[in-house]
Amino acid sequence: MEKFIVEQSPPLKGRVKIGGSKNAVLPIMAASLLTEGGCTIKDVPPLKDVYTMKDILTDLGAVVIWNEKEGSVHIQAQSIAKKEASYELVSKIRASFLIMGPMLARWGEAKVPLPGGCLIGARPVDLHLKGFSALGAEIEIAHGMVTAKSKGLKGNKIYLDFPSVGATENIMMAAVLAEGQTVIENAATEPEIVDLSNFLNNLGAQIRGAGTDTVKITGVDKLKSTEYTVIPDRIEAGTFMTCVAACGGDIELENILAEHLKPMIAKLKEAAIEITEMQNGIRIIADPTRPIKGIDIKTMPYPGFPTDMQAQFMAMLTGCQGSAVITETVFENRFMHVPELLRMGADIKIESRTAFVEGVKNLTGANVKATDLRAGAALVTAALKAQGVTEISNIYHIDRGYCGFDEKLRSLGAKITRLVMEDIKEEQNE
Ligand code: EPZ
């Protein structure tokens, strides 16, 4: 078992290079199943979830070669050995459900365990399955497995009741080899959708409109090979921005696309944090002697404020001047970080999907638990400014979405160490 030991830290100073996007690379790795040609994906972050996706593709029979030094993965799915994904592997990451669309499109059959819910919500896949059915697949759900079969997918018009990121991605992938045109209406518009569409078009797919709420896919017979570099991780970048805003400092982030950070930049400027956009980076300056202004946050699908940044902003706002109102509209239960922040002395009240934060002068260090990757990052953000020492357990959640989070923070002067405790079994509170 591992823990982070975090002490109240001086203002952060220095530069950090942001890694490739977890939420872009996972669908792109799954999409590599769509072609018998080899795909080389670059700037792949060495994250636990990415290793799991590699294992899932290998287990299916694809050849997956990871060049750690270069940070690239080569995937070749000439054929696959089986059409049923391993429960043991798939149950580790929800994003594994994204192999369904490519397998259905390429081989006309896919059997994938129904992803369970997780702590942030029920996380149903009804919209994914609605899309596959609309394309002509037969869907069966039994014994916790989803089986989809088709003798040849046909394009269709699909309206998403909610602009689901995963459903947009899965249906887009299923449609690239379907006969005729597919139109996804009320599609998600996140940058990771655009990155997947660019990757697929590089393979020879014909996708138009990704990044808008209407995506048109014209089916093609087969796809080629490609080499592709994924976009930087906008949530990793946003997390470092909240760390500086919380404990003060002056840092530069390299390898970012400011366009993707607009919601976080806008809200931090509202909180009187100084942000300067540069050639290929961004500089954030926060005065540690001046508490940030209380601001209101409402999470929305892109280009609204991202739900994946809600916990980190709340941690930052626990010390605000005045108060902050934070409304979570995307997931039904994404406030698990609140009880942990309360243990550190925060003043937060929850009413349904809204958290009312009253700024407090100081947080104090405590023993706390990460409950999901963004909640874990939020606890680190709070611990950097809390008086005394904070012990954060279950940090495997954090390692799923952030590579070298503690190393990168230490390089900025943060007082954070990773404690490896061999004898204590990791608590599975999933
Ligand atoms: C993706 O999850 C991200 N994960 C999540 O990031 C992110 O929080 C989420 O999009 C929203 O931006 C990856 O990309 C791997 P959704 P996804 O489908 O695709 C409901 C992180 O921290 N819904 O857009 O699962 C669902 O219940 C993770 O990196 C249905 O009702 O999100 C939820 O309330 C956490 N039916 C809402 O839509 C469906 O069929 C958003 O879910 C699908 C979704």
Side-chain angles (χ1 to χ4, degrees):
M1 175 177 171
E2 298 186 339
K3 287 184 174 184
F4 281 153
I5 308 297
V6 188
E7 293 174 62
Q8 186 169 32
S9 294
L12 303 180
K13 293 257 192 307
R15 301 164 73 91
V16 161
K17 185 174 185 300
I18 298 301
S21 162
K22 167 179 85 83
N23 291 349
V25 78
L26 291 172
I28 286 173
M29 287 175 76
S32 302
L33 291 173
L34 282 161
T35 177
E36 61 188 28
C39 299
T40 301
I41 307 162
K42 297 190 160 187
D43 208 7
V44 175
L47 295 166
K48 275 188 181 174
D49 279 12
V50 178
Y51 285 113
T52 302
M53 182 60 88
K54 168 181 173 291
D55 294 343
I56 289 166
L57 298 178
T58 306
D59 176 67
L60 287 173
V63 173
V64 186
I65 302 157
W66 184 312
N67 182 328
E68 294 236 9
K69 206 162 69 45
E70 267 181 30
S72 66
V73 169
H74 184 79
I75 300 171
Q76 179 116 33
Q78 196 89 33
S79 62
I80 52 172
K82 56 179 185 169
K83 300 200 174 70
E84 178 169 345
S86 129
Y87 174 76
E88 197 255 327
L89 288 171
V90 164
S91 57
K92 287 183 177 177
I93 57 168
R94 296 183 46 74
S96 46
F97 199 68
L98 294 171
I99 61 174
M100 193 131 217
M103 288 177 71
L104 188 55
R106 178 96 184 273
W107 294 287
E109 187 180 341
K111 191 168 181 179
V112 182
L114 195 58
C118 67
L119 283 170
I120 65 177
R123 315 281 301 266
V125 289
D126 56 310
L127 298 175
H128 300 237
L129 304 182
K130 173 182 177 181
F132 297 152
S133 306
L135 296 176
E138 273 163 48
I139 307 286
E140 188 206 25
I141 299 179
H143 313 293
M145 298 294 286
V146 184
T147 305
K149 285 185 180 158
S150 140
K151 291 187 178 50
L153 298 174
K154 287 192 176 31
N156 203 341
K157 187 177 274 194
I158 298 151
Y159 173 80
L160 293 182
D161 308 52
F162 182 90
S164 153
V165 171
T168 304
E169 292 168 340
N170 235 340
I171 297 165
M172 200 157 84
M173 292 188 282
V176 293
L177 297 177
E179 186 193 317
Q181 185 180 70
T182 296
V183 180
I184 307 174
E185 294 183 323
N186 196 29
T189 64
E190 272 71 2
E192 292 76 25
I193 307 269
V194 177
D195 215 28
L196 175 62
S197 170
N198 291 339
F199 171 76
L200 290 168
N201 284 341
N202 281 13
L203 283 175
Q206 289 182 23
I207 303 171
R208 298 289 173 271
T212 74
D213 63 3
T214 304
V215 182
K216 289 185 180 151
I217 305 109
T218 304
V220 295
D221 292 338
K222 66 188 290 190
L223 298 171
K224 310 172 303 213
S225 309
T226 192
E227 195 170 281
Y228 191 80
T229 301
V230 297
I231 53 172
D233 194 313
R234 62 192 168 104
I235 305 300
E236 184 190 17
T239 304
F240 280 101
M241 292 162 81
T242 51
C243 287
V244 181
C247 73
D250 178 351
I251 70 166
E252 283 183 23
L253 300 182
E254 294 166 15
N255 188 38
I256 54 108
L257 291 171
E259 174 68 21
H260 297 167
L261 303 176
K262 268 186 178 169
M264 289 82 97
I265 291 172
K267 297 311 281 187
L268 285 172
K269 285 184 172 173
E270 232 181 272
I273 301 293
E274 193 185 324
I275 294 186
T276 320
E277 293 175 31
M278 304 172 327
Q279 189 63 28
N280 79 330
I282 192 164
R283 184 178 179 190
I284 305 102
I285 301 176
D287 176 353
T289 62
R290 208 176 65 188
I292 60 173
K293 262 166 82 301
I295 54 172
D296 295 346
I297 302 271
K298 182 173 185 178
T299 68
M300 295 292 281
Y302 195 85
F305 186 89
T307 174
D308 293 348
M309 282 302 308
Q310 179 257 109
Q312 302 92 309
F313 263 68
M314 187 187 292
M316 172 191 89
L317 288 161
T318 53
C320 74
Q321 199 173 28
S323 60
V325 179
I326 298 172
T327 307
E328 171 57 61
T329 71
V330 176
F331 288 107
E332 66 267 29
N333 185 31
R334 203 168 194 175
F335 284 146
M336 279 83 54
H337 42 287
V338 172
E340 304 303 311
L341 291 171
L342 292 176
R343 290 176 48 72
M344 298 175 73
D347 178 353
I348 307 168
K349 289 179 186 55
I350 296 177
E351 276 171 36
S352 175
R353 286 196 172 193
T354 301
F356 298 89
V357 182
E358 283 302 322
V360 294
K361 197 155 173 16
N362 294 306
L363 293 181
T364 54
N367 291 353
V368 290
K369 276 190 178 52
T371 50
D372 68 83
L373 69 158
R374 307 306 175 186
L379 295 176
V380 173
T381 304
L384 291 173
K385 64 174 178 179
Q387 287 173 340
V389 181
T390 301
E391 246 188 54
I392 304 173
S393 52
N394 292 355
I395 60 172
Y396 60 88
H397 285 294
I398 302 175
D399 291 333
R400 286 187 50 197
Y402 295 89
C403 42
F405 192 39
D406 49 322
E407 282 107 36
K408 290 183 177 179
L409 281 170
R410 266 197 302 280
S411 75
L412 298 173
K415 292 182 176 175
I416 177 170
T417 48
R418 181 184 289 259
L419 205 58
V420 181
M421 298 147 79
E422 295 311 330
D423 53 345
I424 302 177
K425 187 159 166 17
E426 218 152 59
E427 215 178 303
Q428 300 294 347
N429 68 351
E430 288 283 337

